[in-house]
Amino acid sequence: MAATVAEDAVEARGDRVVAYLIDFAILSAVAFGLWLVTFVLNTVLSVGAMAATSPGDPGAMGGGSMLAAGLLGIVINFVLWLAIGAMLVYYFGYYAETNETVGKRSQNVAVVDENGTPPSQRDRLLRTAVLLAPFPIMLLLGGILGGFGFIFALVLMAGWLLVEAAVMFVSDDAQRLGDRVAGTYVVSATK
């Protein structure tokens, strides 16, 4: 007797986790690289602003320079988060076109609908939207708080991903929240 899509999803749970970890590592490495560039830019701005002096008192820091550096730092941080958002759009846009990510391809798992066929573009976008639900908060905090915001944003996303993983592991059909919303499953691509 043929296994159901839900049973196939349960069997593929381990491969799915490995695929996710591969995708997370790729996205985290790129995000960290982008953050490192903004950290260097913000450090250079801060040091430059502190080096600016007032003509009347050579030992005093220029208040206008510090304010300008701070505001420019906030702009740079927002650009960082927009770049991270663009990277996510590209990555998941690739997923939307091919129905697989690098991690899924490496582990030979695929996303399917309840009939075992590739999900619609709408379903793929729904499951991805749930996965990235915390991103607007991450954008806001990361843009305003800079390096501390980046750390807080990573903790927020890690917490959300743990919730998604917990739901996947306790559900009888191995669906995370995004799969439940979209009606999708992750199964072995060889079946």
Side-chain angles (χ1 to χ4, degrees), residues 103-156:
K104 284 182 180 64
R105 179 181 288 172
S106 73
Q107 296 306 300
N108 204 24
V109 293
V111 179
V112 297
D113 64 15
E114 56 202 16
N115 299 318
T117 59
S120 68
Q121 176 111 7
R122 177 188 167 277
D123 292 342
R124 290 192 301 266
L125 290 173
L126 271 174
R127 72 187 300 274
T128 300
V130 172
L131 183 67
L132 299 178
F135 191 77
I137 297 168
M138 294 167 62
L139 171 66
L140 183 62
L141 292 173
I144 294 171
L145 301 176
F148 178 73
F150 185 80
I151 293 167
F152 183 78
L154 287 178
V155 170
L156 177 67

Side-chain angles (χ1 to χ4, degrees), residues 43-175:
T43 301
V44 168
L45 280 173
S46 296
V47 169
M50 287 191 298
T53 58
S54 172
D57 184 3
M61 287 189 260
S65 297
M66 290 299 286
L67 178 62
L71 291 175
L72 192 54
I74 289 173
V75 169
I76 289 170
N77 290 332
F78 274 112
V79 169
L80 160 71
W81 285 97
L82 291 174
I84 290 172
M87 173 200 53
L88 292 170
V89 166
Y90 171 79
Y91 193 83
F92 289 106
Y94 169 80
Y95 158 69
E97 288 297 318
T98 64
N99 199 31
E100 61 185 6
T101 61
V102 173
K104 284 182 180 64
R105 179 181 288 172
S106 73
Q107 296 306 300
N108 204 24
V109 293
V111 179
V112 297
D113 64 15
E114 56 202 16
N115 299 318
T117 59
S120 68
Q121 176 111 7
R122 177 188 167 277
D123 292 342
R124 290 192 301 266
L125 290 173
L126 271 174
R127 72 187 300 274
T128 300
V130 172
L131 183 67
L132 299 178
F135 191 77
I137 297 168
M138 294 167 62
L139 171 66
L140 183 62
L141 292 173
I144 294 171
L145 301 176
F148 178 73
F150 185 80
I151 293 167
F152 183 78
L154 287 178
V155 170
L156 177 67
M157 191 64 183
W160 179 245
L161 296 174
L162 285 173
V163 168
E164 285 273 75
V167 169
M168 181 187 70
F169 277 103
V170 300
S171 70
D172 292 337
D173 50 11
Q175 287 181 301

